Amino acid sequence: MIGDIVGVGARGPVGLSSLQLAMGVRARKLEPRTLPVLRDKRGQDIGACVTGGISLAVIGYERLLALAVPAAIEALLEVRVALGLDAAGEASLPVLVSLPEPGRADDDARFGGEFLAALAKRAGFRVAQDKSAVVRTGRAGLVEALQQAARLLDDGEPAVLVGGVDSWCAPAVLAELDAASRLHALGAEEGVIPSEGAGFVLVVRQQTSTRKVPAPRALAHIVFAETAVEEGGTPGGSPNVAAAMTALVRSALGIRRPELRGPEAWLLSDLNGERHRIEEWELVAVRNDLDVRVAHDRFLEHLGELGAASGAVLLALAVAFWRTGAAPCGRALLALHSDGPLRGTIAVEEVRP
């Protein structure tokens, strides 16, 4: 087991907290917004899903911080005192954050220790810089962050804040998507709806308490977090036959508490409307007989493309759905595909009060 989730926070285009976001997704409230003075190569307006309260003039580094800080504050809200992170406490907290992959048009030299320091300062806690890091491997980056968190917890850290944040709502990033024919638009058979979001979970290994301060209540158990590299799929190379994700899903499905009722898992995938992603996933589904074994929700269809924030937001949504009794079963499986060859899966189990 990786650890227990004791706090969650998230925000995005249909909600400014994990609960609001979950209910907005459940109600399918997504409404892409036409961006001013931006047209694609067809001459059509470009639309995106933007988060309320952040000016479109804020882009890049500052926009990612504007998304991440409130989500981190929410994840820590109920546990600050118990973990010594309040104003009177002296504790510092390791932070592991999935950020956009290097080389994108909005890349920034501050996407490292400077980002983590600014996040902690604005969210009101002390960051353990020597134990913190950013992960820049795309949608599957959260899995690598959780693996790093597990090692820190094994080494004695009481808690680790793990999350992801991304925004595609910048003119240069949208121009890149358009040039690569990846934007969804009238007349386009496939493509992504650019979006943005942030999600965080606070993960602990063991619950500890004192007479004065009760231990934080576990909301979910993270029981599996593994990555693999998908071979093939490169131009002129062998085809992508989805061998890595097939094996990851099979392994994750093999971990299950017998008392959990309903389908074997509630599957939350990051499918985003691009044909090559759907074709890869269909191979995974057929080989693992997923149509009859899992309840599959494709939440990015109701959130837009979240990039490096996908895993963290989906994980926060799973916990929010459990807390409101809206989930189809007590076990969630996240399937995450980076644009490159990295693939990752996470298995999480509900903890009932």
Side-chain angles (χ1 to χ4, degrees):
M1 186 176 76
I2 304 298
D4 288 346
I5 296 174
V6 297
V8 298
R11 67 171 30 205
V14 295
L16 301 183
S17 69
S18 58
L19 177 59
Q20 284 186 4
L21 198 64
M23 296 302 100
V25 168
R26 189 166 186 249
R28 302 187 178 185
K29 290 292 187 180
L30 187 67
E31 185 177 354
R33 171 179 173 182
T34 299
L35 301 180
V37 202
L38 286 178
R39 291 182 177 271
D40 63 20
K41 57 188 176 183
R42 297 179 175 86
Q44 299 173 351
D45 292 333
I46 292 178
C49 305
V50 297
T51 301
I54 308 176
S55 168
L56 288 173
V58 178
I59 60 174
Y61 175 84
E62 287 296 335
R63 192 170 191 89
L64 265 59
L65 277 174
L67 289 163
V69 169
I73 290 173
E74 183 191 357
L76 298 173
L77 191 61
E78 299 178 12
V79 297
R80 283 182 180 270
V81 175
L83 296 176
L85 298 172
D86 58 319
E90 296 295 327
S92 61
L93 185 66
V95 184
L96 302 166
V97 183
S98 174
L99 291 178
E101 295 177 77
R104 206 169 73 178
D106 61 345
D107 201 356
D108 196 304
R110 295 172 291 178
F111 286 163
E114 189 170 343
F115 183 90
L116 298 177
L119 170 65
K121 182 177 180 180
R122 298 186 193 186
F125 66 90
R126 296 174 58 199
V127 62
Q129 281 281 10
D130 59 329
K131 300 173 184 177
S132 301
V134 299
V135 179
R136 305 192 63 186
T137 52
R139 295 179 199 87
L142 181 76
V143 189
E144 293 190 321
L146 286 173
Q147 291 173 328
Q148 292 185 40
R151 290 190 286 270
L152 288 171
L153 293 171
D154 285 342
D155 289 341
E157 284 298 320
V160 183
L161 184 65
V162 184
V165 57
D166 202 348
S167 174
W168 298 73
C169 300
V173 176
L174 295 169
E176 279 188 339
L177 288 174
D178 186 34
S181 300
R182 294 184 63 190
L183 277 179
H184 185 63
L186 291 174
E189 294 183 0
E190 58 176 318
V192 303
I193 301 174
S195 187
E196 60 187 1
F200 282 89
V201 294
L202 186 67
V203 185
V204 303
R205 173 66 77 190
Q206 294 179 341
Q207 302 295 307
T208 58
S209 62
T210 66
R211 291 180 181 178
K212 294 183 179 180
V213 183
R217 182 177 73 84
L219 306 173
H221 301 304
I222 304 175
V223 298
F224 183 90
E226 295 292 338
T227 60
V229 173
E230 197 69 73
E231 302 292 343
T234 57
S238 58
N240 180 347
V241 295
M245 184 56 82
T246 297
L248 286 170
V249 170
R250 186 171 296 154
S251 296
L253 285 173
I255 305 171
R256 174 179 167 83
R257 295 206 315 267
E259 66 270 22
L260 292 177
R261 299 181 179 180
E264 290 188 45
W266 172 31
L267 176 65
L268 306 179
S269 72
D270 61 356
L271 297 185
N272 65 355
E274 293 186 287
R275 183 184 302 168
H276 68 279
R277 300 267 299 281
I278 295 172
E279 290 175 348
E280 179 182 343
W281 181 256
E282 286 175 346
L283 294 173
V284 178
V286 169
R287 291 171 184 155
N288 288 299
D289 201 20
L290 296 182
D291 287 346
V292 297
R293 299 178 65 186
V294 304
H296 187 181
D297 273 315
R298 294 161 56 159
F299 281 160
L300 292 198
E301 293 181 351
H302 313 302
L303 282 168
E305 174 56 59
L306 297 179
S310 299
V313 170
L314 291 176
L315 188 53
L317 288 178
V319 176
F321 269 65
W322 281 327
R323 296 180 86 174
T324 57
C329 69
R331 185 167 184 271
L333 173 63
L334 278 62
L336 303 168
H337 308 68
S338 294
D339 280 342
L342 188 68
R343 304 290 181 265
T345 58
I346 303 167
V348 194
E349 294 182 349
E350 177 186 18
V351 175
R352 292 184 176 274

